[in-house]
Amino acid sequence: MLTLAIIKPDAVHNGLAGKILAHLEAAGFRVRAARLVRLTTAQAEAFYDVHRERPFYRPLVTFMTSGPALALALERADAVAHLRQVIGATDPAEAKPGTVRKLYAESKERNAIHASDSDESARREIAFFFPESELRGLSGAQ
Ligand code: CMP
């Protein structure tokens, strides 16, 4: 199974992308596709469309377009649920010890990493960043 992670602009800017990737690999995820992206406003708006009505939507779009981010297609058994466990709660103050967000996130908004919240989201989000040709032959990909 595949899921999508994004190492967000705060973590890339703070030089934490390598540490976070090592953390994910140590948790059993294999990197099946990776891309350093600088999202446009339109792309960030589309990616977070589900949050369009939320008060944090505009600041979230501004943050996600503020610098490069690292999009990753990750493979592991039970990938979606496991990655969400490994990254911890949205707010690092509430994240369990040893989770990526507890270790590396600055705040609820600048929270170092995104992970898909369901298999359906994972399919949509992986397709958002990676053309089918880059994913050919991967289990769980379209
Ligand atoms: P992410 O997993 O990328 O999904 C939506 C993002 O919105 C979330 O991580 C946070 O970065 C941000 N977010 C969610 N809730 C809040 C909130 N209450 N205040 C600010 N940002 C939020």
Side-chain angles (χ1 to χ4, degrees), residues 1-5 28-34 72-84 115-127 130-132 134-142:
M1 287 172 64
L2 292 177
T3 191
L4 182 94
F29 291 95
R30 295 182 60 199
V31 179
R32 303 309 303 260
L72 302 164
L74 298 174
E75 186 173 39
R76 188 193 188 282
D78 205 14
V80 168
H82 195 74
L83 184 60
R84 291 182 73 79
S116 307
D117 65 4
S118 66
D119 286 337
E120 191 190 337
S121 300
R123 272 190 292 278
R124 180 182 74 82
E125 293 179 357
I126 287 169
F130 301 107
E132 213 178 321
E134 289 184 19
L135 296 165
R136 206 173 289 139
L138 298 190
S139 63
Q142 16 222 324

Side-chain angles (χ1 to χ4, degrees), residues 8 47-48 51 54 56 60 63-64 84 87 90 101 107-111 113-115:
K8 294 186 179 184
F47 186 82
Y48 282 118
H51 296 306
R54 310 287 287 273
F56 57 81
L60 177 62
F63 163 56
M64 289 300 291
R84 291 182 73 79
I87 72 173
T90 304
R101 283 169 171 160
S107 66
K108 194 168 191 173
E109 182 183 291
R110 299 171 65 84
N111 64 353
I113 189 165
H114 166 86

Side-chain angles (χ1 to χ4, degrees), residues 13-118:
H13 177 79
N14 292 332
L16 296 170
K19 278 187 181 148
I20 293 174
L21 186 51
H23 189 116
L24 300 178
E25 289 181 323
F29 291 95
R30 295 182 60 199
V31 179
R32 303 309 303 260
R35 172 170 285 164
L36 193 70
V37 291
R38 178 75 191 253
L39 291 177
T40 64
T41 297
Q43 285 172 323
E45 285 174 351
F47 186 82
Y48 282 118
D49 191 56
V50 65
H51 296 306
R52 195 171 283 269
E53 303 306 324
R54 310 287 287 273
F56 57 81
Y57 178 70
R58 193 48 53 190
L60 177 62
V61 168
T62 302
F63 163 56
M64 289 300 291
T65 56
S66 66
L70 185 61
L72 302 164
L74 298 174
E75 186 173 39
R76 188 193 188 282
D78 205 14
V80 168
H82 195 74
L83 184 60
R84 291 182 73 79
Q85 259 178 31
V86 165
I87 72 173
T90 304
D91 185 343
E94 292 165 14
K96 290 188 181 150
T99 58
V100 172
R101 283 169 171 160
K102 183 54 119 190
L103 289 166
Y104 302 117
E106 296 175 9
S107 66
K108 194 168 191 173
E109 182 183 291
R110 299 171 65 84
N111 64 353
I113 189 165
H114 166 86
S116 307
D117 65 4
S118 66

